[in-house]
Amino acid sequence: MSYVDEVMERVIAKNPSEKEFHQAVKEVLDSLRIVIEKNEEKFRKNAVLERITEPERVVSFRVPWVDDNGQVQVNRGFRVQFSSAIGPYKGGLRFHPSVNQGIIKFLGFEQIFKNSLTGLPIGGGKGGSDFDPKGKSDREVMAFCQSFMTELYKYIGKDTDVPAGDIGVGGREIGFLYGQYKRITGLYEGVLTGKGLTYGGSLTRTEATGYGLVYITEEMLKANGKELAGKTVVISGSGNVAIYAAQKAMQLGAKVVSMSDSNGYVYDPEGIDLDLVKEIKEVRRGRIKEYAEAKASAQYTEGKGVWTIPCDVALPCATQNELDLEDAKTLKANGCFAVAEGANMPSTREATDFFLENDMLFMPGKAANAGGVATSALEMSQNSQRMSWTFEEVDSKLHQIMIDIFKKVDEASKKYDLEKNYVAGANIAGFEKVVDAMNAQGIV
Ligand code: NDP
């Protein structure tokens, strides 16, 4: 049996019921076959794949808090510190009822390669809780965040592990978490990114993942003789990534016709009114169906189905496995020629394979959404220097980072005669740097 297959079997046996983690590891290891097979004995002897698929540390903890009725609630918190080969652990916190150890491990594993692709010195980590901020009062969210940080603070620090936001963790949650960290430790340090602008946050961080997604999409299109201007774009989700992807796509001349949430999707053939989406989602914390109630040209449909809307370019920006094989076939049949992932692993493996086998341009999340963590690393730099860069400075660094990521991914795919397979390109380019650093540091 090949070394890759052996390790894959072991990963499944050692981590039963962590299906998202298996899916992420399998995708990466399958892409790496071509690299591993060239030097299989060396990789096997050094147990490189066993080490890279085993987190350096997993912390799981109880998070008790009191709700507005005086009832004590108990959630489970996680922090997975996956790899510190190229820098301090870096990766977001997710608050969503679906969170479990397998989901946090898949996200932490992906983060290793994503962070490597940014070219910045950041290792891979991820955390979160099965707490659902939806429908909770600000006081309840604060109580939860304070309890969560009362345990988490023991494991993080500006030079060890720097969490950020993800699903369910935005500016409000980062503020409460930061306040509690500072109160417990007495340290005013850049231990979290995504902070508010008045207490160490970086301009452009809010926009970074969505903007970065569109910058790299434009690079991919340009390299293939196309451009975003004049194209119709379908976006799923209506959170942080989706909103700013829509904004940048519109700035580049595309027409965005949809947004969604976990209840349903809106289709607005006139083009999405982003101010209205922001008012509903960022100010009122409402549901996307309110968009269709406020705008006559829009139509709301309950449930899944956003990928049935005809488009040229699709940007999945909600959550993992939200786009399956049937969706991929529908997109293709309706004329879609490019897909770039704002979310982490939104396409199932079958959908990804379909895109690659049917000559669609496809940029995987670990490259396409790396602008968020890259800008977080820029926030860390500004905090260390006690400086603040302008919006334009950060935006132009972000833009350059995304151009560089596209180049690395493209070159890695060409190096192994896998031209236009950006999945393989991203996995290989991310892996090579991490392995080089691991080898240099001995058996750790
Ligand atoms: P937000 O919480 O701001 O928004 C998430 C959006 O996705 C909401 O519209 C939400 O709808 C929808 N969604 C979440 N879970 C589901 C589900 N199970 N089914 C359908 N829709 C769902 O999160 P972000 O925008 O920050 O994150 C979106 C994706 O981007 C995630 O995969 C995240 O890991 C990834 N990402 C985020 C980065 C960042 O900087 N924020 C960086 C890199 C990747 P609802 O309100 O109904 O839950």
Side-chain angles (χ1 to χ4, degrees):
M1 192 187 282
S2 78
Y3 175 44
V4 166
D5 290 328
E6 230 176 74
V7 172
M8 195 60 234
E9 268 195 5
R10 221 170 296 153
V11 165
I12 292 171
K14 279 179 84 171
N15 305 280
S17 73
E18 295 183 354
K19 60 181 194 315
E20 290 85 0
F21 180 54
H22 305 162
Q23 183 184 342
V25 172
K26 185 156 177 29
E27 186 219 277
V28 171
L29 295 195
D30 279 344
S31 306
L32 295 177
R33 274 177 205 280
I34 194 159
V35 180
I36 304 290
E37 279 161 11
K38 283 199 165 150
N39 223 334
E40 187 165 293
E41 276 325 296
K42 189 167 170 224
F43 279 110
R44 192 195 293 270
K45 187 153 186 248
N46 289 324
V48 170
L49 296 183
E50 286 88 336
R51 282 190 286 148
I52 213 164
T53 53
E54 184 70 32
E56 288 176 21
R57 193 168 300 102
V58 176
V59 188
S60 163
F61 51 93
R62 178 172 68 204
V63 190
W65 56 282
V66 182
D67 73 15
D68 284 347
N69 298 320
Q71 174 66 48
V72 175
Q73 302 285 344
V74 180
N75 288 99
R76 184 173 289 172
F78 298 97
R79 187 70 184 164
V80 174
Q81 298 179 329
F82 225 115
S83 168
S84 60
I86 61 172
Y89 311 106
K90 182 92 198 81
L93 298 172
R94 175 176 293 191
F95 292 169
H96 192 271
S98 64
V99 162
N100 56 40
Q101 185 165 299
I103 287 185
I104 298 299
K105 277 170 68 179
F106 118 64
L107 290 163
F109 182 70
E110 291 272 298
Q111 199 83 42
I112 305 171
F113 308 99
K114 178 189 311 193
N115 293 3
S116 167
L117 283 172
T118 66
L120 300 167
I122 37 179
K126 198 84 189 187
S129 173
D130 57 2
F131 171 73
D132 187 359
K134 234 178 280 165
K136 303 286 190 302
S137 68
D138 285 352
R139 195 211 61 81
E140 289 177 319
V141 172
M142 181 174 74
F144 172 81
C145 287
Q146 290 180 339
S147 181
F148 185 83
M149 183 53 86
T150 301
E151 185 63 26
L152 184 71
Y153 90 96
K154 299 169 189 167
Y155 311 102
I156 62 176
K158 73 175 172 47
D159 295 316
T160 49
D161 183 354
V162 184
D166 190 75
I167 291 178
V169 179
R172 175 182 61 170
E173 290 75 17
I174 292 289
F176 293 147
L177 291 164
Y178 190 73
Q180 186 71 354
Y181 179 86
K182 186 165 60 85
R183 193 173 183 206
I184 296 171
T185 63
L187 298 171
Y188 206 106
E189 62 177 23
V191 68
L192 293 167
T193 55
K195 300 186 288 300
L197 296 177
T198 50
Y199 65 96
S202 172
L203 285 158
T204 324
R205 177 60 189 94
T206 305
E207 294 83 358
T209 308
Y211 277 23
L213 168 67
V214 174
Y215 289 145
I216 201 168
T217 302
E218 183 75 332
E219 287 308 299
M220 174 171 78
L221 295 194
K222 273 200 314 211
N224 289 279
K226 297 181 159 66
E227 60 173 6
L228 261 175
K231 301 294 183 298
T232 300
V233 177
V234 162
I235 294 182
S236 65
S238 48
N240 173 262
V241 179
I243 287 176
Y244 293 96
Q247 182 162 302
K248 184 52 72 178
M250 289 176 197
Q251 284 172 8
L252 295 187
K255 186 187 199 185
V256 177
V257 293
S258 75
M259 304 214 92
S260 69
D261 61 22
S262 49
N263 294 106
Y265 65 93
V266 286
Y267 173 44
D268 186 348
E270 279 184 3
I272 289 286
D273 174 347
L274 211 51
D275 288 339
L276 180 55
V277 174
K278 286 185 184 179
E279 163 65 23
I280 294 167
K281 286 293 182 179
E282 293 185 339
V283 182
R284 303 210 304 262
R285 296 182 189 275
R287 309 304 301 158
I288 202 66
K289 80 167 174 211
E290 294 164 38
Y291 181 94
E293 288 158 10
K295 192 150 182 273
S297 58
Q299 189 185 313
Y300 175 72
T301 308
E302 192 80 15
K304 292 185 168 210
V306 70
W307 309 119
T308 60
I309 300 171
C311 65
D312 302 303
V313 176
L315 303 176
C317 295
T319 193
Q320 65 273 359
N321 294 326
E322 55 162 310
L323 194 166
D324 63 17
L325 178 59
E326 280 314 304
D327 298 322
K329 288 181 179 168
T330 307
L331 281 169
K332 169 88 182 162
N334 286 338
C336 174
F337 63 83
V339 179
E341 297 184 324
N344 285 307
M345 209 168 71
S347 314
T348 63
R349 177 60 187 269
E350 294 74 23
T352 301
D353 290 345
F354 179 87
F355 295 141
L356 296 177
E357 285 157 13
N358 286 276
D359 294 326
M360 292 173 74
L361 299 174
F362 177 69
M363 189 56 70
K366 63 173 76 66
N369 67 37
V373 72
T375 308
S376 277
L378 300 179
E379 182 173 330
M380 289 164 71
S381 300
Q382 293 169 81
N383 291 161
S384 297
Q385 294 177 60
R386 305 250 183 269
M387 279 185 58
S388 302
W389 299 330
T390 63
F391 186 94
E392 289 70 26
E393 278 175 296
V394 183
D395 187 35
S396 100
K397 287 183 206 295
L398 165 67
H399 196 169
Q400 191 56 49
I401 288 168
M402 299 315 294
I403 292 173
D404 293 344
I405 293 176
F406 179 75
K407 250 191 235 156
K408 279 181 216 165
V409 169
D410 191 38
E411 279 165 13
S413 71
K414 287 176 179 154
K415 181 171 152 192
Y416 288 93
D417 289 328
L418 294 165
E419 204 167 339
K420 296 198 202 303
N421 183 338
Y422 303 128
V423 174
N427 288 329
I428 292 169
F431 175 76
E432 285 185 335
K433 178 177 175 186
V434 174
V435 167
D436 194 59
M438 283 170 72
N439 287 338
Q441 293 171 33
I443 305 304
V444 287

